[in-house]
Amino acid sequence: LCLQWVTQNADAHGQAKKNGPLLWCVIFAFIGFLYALIRLVTIEYTSSILVSAGVFKTTTYDDWVRKPLAPLIKIAFDTLLWLRGGHSPNSYTYKVYEDMTLQFIVWLGTLCLFFLLLWIFTNMCKACQRCLIFPNEMKWWGRLVISFDNLTYWVWFWISFFWIGFNVYLAVQPSSFHFNNIGMMSFMLAATFLNYALIISNSLRFSIMESIDANEIAFLSMDNIWRANQLFFMVGPIQGFSVFTGTKNFLSYLLYGQDIGGWAGGDLTQVSIAIVKYWTSMVIMASIACWIYLFASNPTPTEYQSRRPGCIIFTFIAMDVLHPCVYLWTVSNKFTAEDAKKMTFSQKICCVAWWKSCLATAILNEQTTNVFRYVAPAYNFMLPLLVFYNATFGVSGGFTLVAVGAGH
């Protein structure tokens, strides 16, 4: 669908056809945001991009922004210095802290300014809405952003692969990082809060809609958070397969005019189940292999402290996908207790169906499921606290939380 829209081959009618070109405005705005974000982390500057573009003079910017903010930044620096008990060997100087803080405030203020200009221009379009096809309400932009997300969410299918691979790298390769523990803990708590707020709000909204239709009370349980974590680490391979298949089918349609209205690659359900089965199995086996390699490689105490957090976090990821993995491998097993009574112990040991039955009994029960249901939210809140125990948790855990949030 995304490729059809980009190449103007989508079969759109009415308002959807009018909104098609407007999606490019959202795309260019998103590209501009990415450019601003990359500029923030790669270029050292203390003035706005508006000053670089000549919209404001440097003296005007210093009088309106830099001079009023300098005392506030100094107060914040002194407060943090007092909380830390003075300077440490890795402390920043005030000049570095001032430039870094001012750079972020300017970046955030510039984004707010652009958003304000968009709001003003959008409301001005109400005066000429009959002759101009352009959003005249902010909710119109909201619908365009949702359409943009629906068309491009597949672009981020690689995130789950990357962060699983990143934790594997930290588990097998000693690494060193330099950051402030308090700052990283605050960042991780904020990421966890925003992540769970997104999950809970979406789940509660869906529950309220269902309760209205069924005349029932809205209900929200820990399953929503648990399933959301499972979904992020499970759907990556399926989305990758969909991207490959969709691109191939679109090229067949574009170059040869083939009908791509149906699926001709076999039972799609079985293909998806097979992909998830082998992917989750690989994640679980890889987590076990990381622990074996950690102890078998005879690391030094420093290397052990550096690599262990990666193993722990990767183990929690494997625990998230363990339940669906076992279910998919054992759902078709017809082995019963009566069959087991007819077999000798040696026959059971050699019987795959008996092993599947034992595995399902051990994992797919109410007690074990309740443990898994609460482990996922618990370890996300434990990660910020573990930063004080081992700083490596801050890197692997913090960015994993961001990745999971993006996937959600």
Side-chain angles (χ1 to χ4, degrees), residues 276-294:
V276 175
K277 278 172 54 176
Y278 289 105
W279 166 249
T280 52
S281 300
M282 188 199 70
V283 171
I284 295 170
M285 298 304 296
S287 66
I288 298 174
C290 286
W291 281 106
I292 295 175
Y293 181 74
L294 175 64

Side-chain angles (χ1 to χ4, degrees), residues 7-248:
T7 57
Q8 300 297 317
N9 286 300
D11 186 17
H13 305 280
Q15 191 66 29
K17 188 174 183 178
K18 296 179 181 180
N19 289 340
L22 294 177
L23 283 172
W24 287 106
C25 298
V26 180
I27 291 178
F28 289 136
F30 181 71
I31 294 175
F33 172 77
L34 288 181
Y35 169 75
L37 194 61
I38 294 173
R39 185 173 183 265
L40 172 68
V41 299
T42 58
I43 300 177
E44 294 184 6
Y45 65 94
T46 55
S47 63
S48 173
I49 192 174
L50 298 178
V51 177
S52 303
V55 179
F56 294 108
K57 295 182 179 180
T58 304
T59 54
T60 303
Y61 170 80
D62 290 339
D63 293 338
W64 288 7
V65 179
R66 192 179 187 92
K67 291 181 180 178
L69 288 177
L72 300 178
I73 297 175
K74 178 62 175 176
I75 293 174
F77 177 81
D78 292 338
T79 302
L80 291 177
L81 195 63
W82 175 76
L83 291 174
R84 287 180 56 87
H87 287 281
S88 66
N90 293 325
S91 296
Y92 292 116
T93 62
Y94 172 72
K95 178 61 177 175
V96 175
Y97 184 85
E98 180 186 26
D99 291 344
M100 182 174 59
T101 307
L102 186 63
Q103 183 177 347
F104 175 74
I105 294 176
V106 168
W107 176 81
L108 188 62
T110 304
L111 289 182
C112 293
L113 178 61
F114 276 109
F115 186 82
L116 177 63
L117 294 176
L118 176 65
W119 179 79
I120 295 174
F121 182 75
T122 300
N123 284 276
M124 290 176 59
C125 290
K126 291 182 178 180
C128 51
Q129 56 182 339
R130 292 186 176 180
C131 58
L132 181 64
I133 303 176
F134 198 82
N136 51 53
E137 292 181 337
M138 293 305 295
K139 61 182 180 181
W140 194 342
W141 285 113
R143 296 190 186 102
L144 289 173
V145 170
I146 294 173
S147 299
F148 168 73
D149 179 67
N150 291 336
L151 288 172
T152 59
Y153 74 94
W154 53 269
V155 175
W156 313 106
F157 78 93
W158 55 271
I159 294 179
S160 60
F161 294 104
F162 178 80
W163 290 114
I164 288 177
F166 180 72
N167 282 288
V168 172
Y169 172 79
L170 293 179
V172 300
Q173 183 68 30
S175 305
S176 59
F177 306 96
H178 172 62
F179 56 86
N180 182 276
N181 282 14
I182 298 178
M184 181 59 76
M185 186 196 70
S186 303
F187 164 74
M188 292 175 66
L189 286 174
T192 303
F193 174 78
L194 293 174
N195 178 27
Y196 283 175
L198 178 64
I199 297 172
I200 293 173
S201 61
N202 287 339
S203 301
L204 188 58
R205 182 178 62 178
F206 181 73
S207 298
I208 292 175
M209 292 173 59
E210 285 190 329
S211 66
I212 294 174
D213 294 337
N215 194 23
E216 296 176 352
I217 299 176
F219 180 70
L220 182 66
S221 66
M222 295 300 293
D223 285 347
N224 300 106
I225 299 176
W226 182 37
R227 299 301 182 189
N229 279 17
Q230 290 178 331
L231 182 66
F232 171 74
F233 293 112
M234 287 171 54
V235 300
I238 297 179
Q239 289 181 348
F241 172 74
S242 301
V243 169
F244 172 78
T245 305
T247 304
K248 180 175 69 68

